[in-house]
Amino acid sequence: MIYRTAGQFKTTYASDQAIFPIVQDRVAVTLALTAAFVIPPALASEYWLQAVLIPLLVYALAALGLNLLTGYAGQLSLGTGGFMAVGAYSAFKLSTAFPHLDIVAVFLLAGLVAAGVGLLFGIPSLRIKGFYLAVATLAAQFFLLWLFNKVAWFVNYAPSGTITAPDREVLGVLVTGPNATAGARYVMALAFVAVFGLVAKNLVRGRLGRAWMAIRDRDIAAEIIGIRPLRTKLLAFGISSFYCGVAGAELVFLYLGSAETQAFDINISFLVLFMVIIGGLGSILGSFLGAAFIVLVPIFLTNAPHLVGLGLPVALQKQIELMVFGALIIFFLIVEPHGLARLWQITKEKLRLWPFPH
Amino acid sequence: MDVLYGLVAPFADIAGSPAFFVEVLIGGVVAGLMYSLVALGFVLIFKASGVFNFAQGVMVLFAALTLVGLMERGVPVVFALGLTALVMILLAFAIERVVLRPLVNQEHIILFMATIGLTFFLEGFGELLWGSNVKRLDVGIPDRSFSVAGVLVNELELSAGVTAAILVAVLAVFFHGTRVGRALRAVADDHEAALSIGIPLKTIWIIVWSVAGGVAIVAGIMWGAKSGVQFSLSLIALKSLPVLILGGFTSVPGAIAGGLIIGVGEKIGEVYWGPLVGGAIENWFAYGLALVFLLFRPQGLFGEKIIERV
């Protein structure tokens, strides 16, 4: 009864092409966004903000980026960690070289740098695809991390080799660096995710997104109907890397506070790939659901045994976590290749008919 | 000028002490053979079922862990080997039943991602069973060094080379000379066509994953004897990917050639040209080389050329 679309007539092209054509969706998204901005900073504890919500938002942004590339454009990438590192290191260089540059601008510029690097490593995708491309992106992953490790210029010649987020303000509130409150950093991360989430949603239903999906589904046919593979694929790499770059900058500036190249190793690439698979390949909502899932499952696995009075050793937890992740990947690929997002879609369809199933 | 000097000087070093160069070369060949052993498992499965098995590296780890775990519990070497082989065959059954059968006819990329899931599962499972500390593997291969014309040669490395050579010969005969081998190649070409002429897909998959498991045991023994059985073994899977690109995905000799090129290339590059850029180029050298290959010869050295213009 609640989720009924009867009577919602679309009388203009504008209303037909709205991002959320159904009133209930519009209301729900607005409410959810407002709630996300208001409730956690006021109510959530330091632990929840720092250990759950901020990483969730950061990873969601990275997953969005990878989903655009892998889910929508069909180009498998294992180099996400490398592109995130580019964003983080260029944000660090920019903010320390130009201390008066607005931090929001720093994040965006860092994203642009990452986009440039992504374009560069996307060039092989014009000749190769599938697994072959995965190897090419692995080259990006390992080469970039090696570069950041070896060239001291990237860390401002710090002997420890770590980059540390400097204190920067937005509208007079400290938002980055270890001295900023978790609430402020959370709101900053959320603002970025909200804006870029909407941008992504818009992007994939527009001309470019449809071109990506055409390339993904049948590249030869796409070329025949006049989609230029070169431009489309490179744009996918560029935009995806932009998202990943901003996410990388956020990872250091808003979440970790300081980091080495270790923070961006191949495991991050896999983790983000898992988020995309579990959340749903080719779904914006799925990127968020996947990120939430991957962030929450380890926390659940850590805490659940304690709740029932079982104390598991840390090593065993780690092993169980690996097994659960691996099994879940296979499970989702077999049972629900469209991921958690598909489950939500099914729920919506059922809700439309409820309480009459036919 | 300095850079130019740095690029040229190593050639002088090579000419100056050829014995050291040969040692580096041998080190590279051995490392390359180790990569090849892992890559062979990949090639087998890809050639016979079109599945790109990312889990091959972790299968090597799993095999080595099982072998060491059994031997630590006092099982004699020969029995332990047999039991490990049995475990790998059981694993092949399980993989076919749980992972592959429900995913028949899915896109290759989906199957690839499923094997990534398998990788994580097996990593956790192996450690859960056998513990996660580094173990020494000793199956009685001598690890002494002797000197030939001023060059140190290690017996273990020598036996790794011989084993790899034997393995390739056996596999070549298996693929091209036997009935099962022909069936395997038919399945790789076209699942449905193979099914329609009465080749049992299920059996074929179990056979090929078992054979790959066997190759994993050999690779596990070699790696384990050389550097101990530890978690990082599964990372050699990542090194085997560029080996495959170089050699071609479907070529058994290609896996060996690719492994040798990468092993030798990265050792020589690291020792002679590495200092120029601060070292540790071993981390990405193989991928860089693979990237160049992808741009100019995507099918690899011995691969089948697939023409597709998009």
Side-chain angles (χ1 to χ4, degrees), chain A residues 92-315:
Chain A
F92 173 71
K93 282 305 283 183
L94 281 167
S95 66
T96 49
F98 307 103
H100 296 295
L101 197 60
D102 192 73
I103 191 69
V104 176
V106 167
F107 276 22
L108 295 179
L109 285 174
L112 282 182
V113 175
V117 176
L119 279 180
L120 204 64
F121 280 99
I123 292 174
S125 72
L126 306 174
R127 285 203 57 179
I128 53 181
K129 45 183 104 166
F131 324 122
Y132 295 86
L133 190 61
V135 174
T137 52
L138 270 179
Q141 168 78 40
F142 286 106
F143 176 75
L144 289 169
L145 288 200
W146 172 84
L147 191 70
F148 293 134
N149 237 341
K150 284 294 159 196
V151 183
W153 179 78
F154 286 113
V155 294
N156 284 348
Y157 304 100
S160 60
T162 55
I163 53 172
T164 306
D167 292 336
R168 292 286 181 270
E169 296 178 345
V170 169
L171 305 173
V173 183
L174 207 57
V175 288
T176 67
N179 296 324
T181 62
R185 283 180 285 138
Y186 166 80
V187 172
M188 175 86 168
L190 181 64
F192 267 95
V193 169
V195 171
F196 282 122
L198 286 176
V199 169
K201 183 95 191 157
N202 245 320
L203 212 56
V204 296
R205 73 202 176 106
R207 188 187 176 85
L208 186 58
R210 281 176 283 133
W212 283 343
M213 287 183 265
I215 290 274
R216 170 194 69 188
D217 290 341
R218 183 86 44 192
D219 46 7
I220 297 174
E223 196 181 15
I224 289 169
I225 60 169
I227 291 164
R228 280 176 286 175
L230 185 141
R231 215 180 77 114
T232 316
K233 283 185 188 176
L234 279 186
L235 268 174
F237 267 95
I239 293 173
S240 157
S241 306
F242 179 87
Y243 275 70
C244 292
V246 175
E250 283 189 354
L251 188 71
V252 173
F253 278 63
L254 303 179
Y255 174 40
L256 296 174
S258 68
E260 297 177 47
T261 46
Q262 203 92 59
F264 300 101
D265 69 355
I266 181 84
N267 286 326
I268 285 279
S269 302
F270 282 126
L271 214 58
V272 177
L273 183 65
F274 290 172
M275 291 174 192
V276 171
I277 297 176
I278 291 182
L281 279 161
S283 155
I284 299 294
L285 176 71
S287 313
F288 290 92
L289 296 179
F293 196 84
I294 298 279
V295 171
L296 291 175
V297 163
I299 293 174
F300 175 75
L301 286 179
T302 316
N303 292 326
H306 285 296
L307 290 180
V308 292
L310 258 172
L312 292 179
V314 180

Side-chain angles (χ1 to χ4, degrees), chain B residues 31-305:
Chain B
L33 281 174
M34 299 286 191
Y35 295 146
S36 302
L37 283 177
V38 182
L40 265 181
F42 271 110
V43 170
L44 283 177
I45 290 181
F46 191 78
K47 204 175 157 91
S49 60
V51 176
F52 188 102
N53 179 26
F54 191 81
Q56 184 65 32
V58 87
M59 277 169 68
V60 171
L61 173 71
F62 192 75
L65 271 177
T66 311
L67 189 58
V68 172
L70 286 171
M71 281 165 62
E72 271 180 355
R73 278 156 187 76
V75 183
V77 177
V78 182
F79 283 114
L81 271 174
L83 276 176
T84 312
L86 198 66
V87 168
M88 295 314 278
I89 291 172
L90 282 178
L91 186 69
F93 265 97
I95 290 173
E96 193 278 331
R97 185 71 196 84
V98 179
V99 184
L100 295 177
R101 204 184 296 174
L103 287 172
V104 174
N105 271 340
Q106 289 278 11
E107 282 177 60
H108 288 297
I109 213 81
I110 299 283
L111 284 161
F112 171 63
M113 289 196 275
T115 61
I116 295 183
L118 188 65
T119 306
F120 273 67
F121 183 81
L122 278 183
E123 256 177 39
F125 188 56
E127 291 196 354
L128 193 74
L129 283 182
W130 308 111
S132 54
N133 38 350
V134 181
K135 296 179 179 65
R136 252 181 56 73
L137 179 65
D138 186 10
V139 286
I141 305 172
D143 191 7
R144 288 185 303 268
S145 298
F146 56 91
S147 164
V148 182
V151 177
L152 274 179
V153 181
N154 186 301
E155 284 184 5
L156 177 68
E157 296 176 347
L158 206 64
S159 47
V162 174
T163 314
I166 295 173
L167 207 58
V168 171
V170 170
L171 289 175
V173 171
F174 175 65
F175 262 99
H176 291 272
T178 66
R179 220 180 130 77
V180 179
R182 278 198 302 277
L184 292 179
R185 280 185 291 145
V187 170
D189 270 352
D190 193 332
H191 287 182
E192 282 177 18
L195 270 174
S196 68
I197 56 165
I199 295 173
L201 200 55
K202 210 173 92 180
T203 325
I204 291 296
W205 269 349
I206 291 173
I207 289 176
V208 77
W209 280 77
S210 303
V211 174
V215 175
I217 296 176
V218 176
I221 292 174
M222 289 302 162
W223 275 100
K226 190 164 179 267
S227 51
V229 179
Q230 51 185 324
F231 196 61
S232 63
L233 267 183
S234 64
L235 287 179
I236 40 174
L238 291 173
K239 264 291 168 51
S240 304
L241 293 173
V243 170
L244 291 170
I245 300 269
L246 249 68
F249 276 72
T250 52
S251 162
V252 172
I256 299 292
L260 289 180
I261 292 173
I262 285 192
V264 170
E266 83 180 8
K267 278 285 180 302
I268 289 180
E270 178 72 49
V271 171
Y272 288 100
W273 280 273
L276 197 61
V277 286
I281 59 172
E282 269 182 291
N283 287 344
W284 56 268
F285 177 85
Y287 297 97
L289 198 63
L291 206 58
V292 174
F293 252 78
L294 283 175
L295 288 176
F296 295 105
R297 199 181 160 80
Q299 74 272 31
L301 287 171
F302 301 99
E304 294 153 24
K305 193 168 177 106

